[in-house]
Every structure is written in structure tokens, then in C-alpha cells.
Amino acid sequence: MNFTTNFKSLSLAGVVFAGTVSAIAVLGLATVKPATAAEFVTFETDPSVSVPNGFVSNPPDSQLVSFSDTLGADLVIGNFGVQGNGQSLAVRVDDASALKMNFSHLMKSLSLDFGNDDPSFSSPGDTAELTLFLGATQVGFVSVPMNRDDIMNQTISFAASGPGQYFDMATFFYNVAVPTPAGTSGLIEVVDNIEFQPAGKAVPEPSTVLGLGLLGLVALVKRQLMPKPDSDKA
């Protein structure tokens, strides 16, 4: 029996080849996602009022974070003059409470401005402390010596060095030694201009997608180029 090359299949293979390469190129470009945009909370659209644990600031502030008091429920939104920056968030009462921030997504960076580092209720070397957690596991810690001028003019920030430091919860605390032992006092934390960046989701590398696409292309072309029996019998 004679076999002839099916030229229609060759033509079809060419079209398939071009189309598949184009699709792979588009798919490869699509997997290169831009960096996830930063999120912000400034409290400027929130009224001056006590707020409950689990508080979420009004839009356009980010809806990806909620705020709580680790001891009691003493969060207050207000304008605290130079101790804040317009509307700010305070953790009232001089106790050992800290500000707790729960995030609805994994985060890879966090920064905030802080004030009310009152020299009358702190000592040289006292620190503002930011602790990061993934669930119950601590994954990061940053401390900044307070300049103790009672003005919101300092920032504390954390940036993950890799996925092992991504976090979904953070606490902010003033660790002061006066008037009680360090770690037990509760100078009122006042924070504002909170900025954080979601970690985003992992996507396939373009080279991986291209490799898989080429393997499929080779199989497809081979099938199209296989000789077919002549329809006329010998």
C-alpha cells in the first residue's frame, strides 16, 4: 500500500504552530503580574469616637485590616493635635495593652507613624515595638527608640525578607520603663498613616509555561505530520 504526505495537514500544522506560539507568548506575558499595590489607612473619613475591637476604617481606607485593643476595648479615633496627624487612632488607658492589627490577606510589609511619646511618661532608651505574626507564630520584630518629643514625627516599619516572614497579624506597643517596669507600662499608643503591602499569590514562571506549551506543540505537530494511508487501494 502506498503512503503519501497529507499536505493539508502540513498547512494546518503551520497555522497551528503560529497560533500556538502566539498563545504561548501571550500566556507567558500574562503570568508576569505587576507588584501588588500598597494599601493605606489614614482614618481621615472616620468620626471622632470610641470604636470597638475589630474596627475597620471607612473607605477609601483599606478594608484588609481590622484594629483591636489587646487588653479591654479602648480604641479611640480623634484629632490629638501634634501627637497625631489629623484623625488618628489611639489605644487609650495607661496599661500594658497594645494595638493589634489583623489582616485578611498575607502581608509582606508594614509601616506606621506614631506619636504621644511623652517625655513625662518615658525614659531615654524606651522603644516603640512592632511584632509580626503568622497565626500564633512570631515571624518578625522591629523596635525604634522613641525620640520622646510627644510629636508624631517617627515611623516604624517592617519588610519581609522572604515568604517565611509573611504575616497576617501585627502588634504595636510602647515599651517604657516609667512609671512601671519595662514591658508592663502602657503609654497610650497613637498611630496614623498605616501602609502595608499584600504578599500576593504565586504565579507560574513564564519559562515554565513556555516549556509546557512547547511540549504540547511538538506533540500536536507530530500528529498532524503523520503519513496517512492513500484513500485509493492498490
Side-chain angles (χ1 to χ4, degrees):
M1 183 179 293
N2 294 327
F3 293 91
T4 61
T5 303
N6 190 323
F7 290 100
K8 287 185 179 180
S9 295
L10 282 173
S11 299
L12 177 59
V15 172
V16 169
F17 180 85
T20 306
V21 169
S22 298
I24 292 171
V26 171
L27 183 57
L29 291 173
T31 60
V32 184
K33 299 178 69 175
T36 308
E39 300 275 333
F40 299 89
V41 177
T42 65
F43 307 107
E44 291 306 310
T45 59
D46 297 310
S48 296
V49 65
S50 295
V51 294
N53 287 336
F55 163 73
V56 177
S57 183
N58 289 330
D61 283 355
S62 176
Q63 303 296 289
L64 301 184
V65 60
S66 64
F67 302 90
S68 298
D69 181 358
T70 58
L71 290 177
D74 299 303
L75 299 183
V76 177
I77 299 289
N79 188 323
F80 306 105
V82 296
Q83 296 174 331
N85 182 5
Q87 293 293 87
S88 302
L89 175 64
V91 187
R92 289 283 194 182
V93 184
D94 288 329
D95 57 19
S97 64
L99 174 65
K100 182 178 181 181
M101 293 163 276
N102 284 306
F103 299 92
S104 60
H105 293 67
L106 282 180
M107 299 295 160
K108 63 181 179 181
S109 67
L110 171 64
S111 69
L112 58 84
D113 295 344
F114 62 90
N116 190 45
D117 46 343
D118 194 331
S120 300
F121 296 93
S122 61
S123 301
D126 286 346
T127 57
E129 299 178 349
L130 185 64
T131 309
L132 299 306
F133 299 86
L134 179 60
T137 303
Q138 181 177 325
V139 295
F141 175 80
V142 181
S143 67
V144 174
M146 297 186 292
N147 61 22
R148 304 176 59 245
D149 62 3
D150 207 22
I151 299 173
M152 182 172 279
N153 56 10
Q154 288 185 271
T155 301
I156 190 169
S157 60
F158 172 83
S161 60
Q165 287 191 311
Y166 290 171
F167 56 92
D168 59 9
M169 193 267 280
T171 60
F172 177 72
F173 176 66
Y174 286 155
N175 191 351
V176 301
V178 175
T180 53
T184 61
S185 180
L187 180 63
I188 295 172
E189 294 86 4
V190 179
V191 302
D192 203 352
N193 301 323
I194 300 169
E195 179 180 347
F196 47 92
Q197 188 169 13
K201 295 182 179 180
V203 295
E205 292 291 335
S207 58
T208 301
V209 175
L210 181 59
L212 292 174
L214 286 176
L215 287 175
L217 175 63
V218 170
L220 178 61
V221 171
K222 286 179 67 177
R223 286 197 301 271
Q224 294 295 335
L225 292 179
M226 286 181 64
K228 294 184 178 180
D230 194 335
S231 58
D232 295 329
K233 293 185 180 181

